[in-house]
Amino acid sequence: INVVTIFLGLSVGSKLSAGQFLRPETLGILVLGAVAVSFGTASGVVMAKLMNVISPDNKVNPLIGAAGVSAVPMSARGANKVGQESNPHNFLLMHAMGPNVAGVIGSAVAAGVLLALVH
């Protein structure tokens, strides 16, 4: 996925001039994206903590909730890295990829609903 991202960035970037890209609207989009990822991560952690309160027998690691944003695979890698900093024997990557992919599917469904409503 990293190689595809690099090729996509190079192909789009080679056709785009700096005057078209460096505009206030572009910075607004970047800020909105950062805010969306922050809210997604925070709401995933809060939801995991709420699940732990509701069902104390089946504990959920809040880092798994943080991986629910659709930034594949970086949010899952981030959850795994933070988990291993806390306990070097933790390996959360495969557990974090589940909600990570679910975030992608949820984003695609939300985009489809938005397109249906706007169009």
Side-chain angles (χ1 to χ4, degrees), residues 56-68:
D57 296 333
N58 298 323
K59 292 286 189 182
V60 175
N61 190 335
L63 284 172
I64 300 301

Side-chain angles (χ1 to χ4, degrees), residues 56-101:
D57 296 333
N58 298 323
K59 292 286 189 182
V60 175
N61 190 335
L63 284 172
I64 300 301
V69 297
S70 61
V72 173
M74 292 312 297
S75 60
R77 287 183 187 169
N80 185 50
K81 185 174 187 303
V82 171
Q84 285 184 334
E85 286 173 359
S86 174
N87 180 358
H89 300 290
N90 273 341
F91 189 73
L92 300 173
L93 186 60
M94 289 300 114
H95 299 287
M97 282 302 290
N100 203 208
V101 172

Side-chain angles (χ1 to χ4, degrees), residues 98-113:
N100 203 208
V101 172
V104 171
I105 294 169
S107 296
V109 169
V113 168

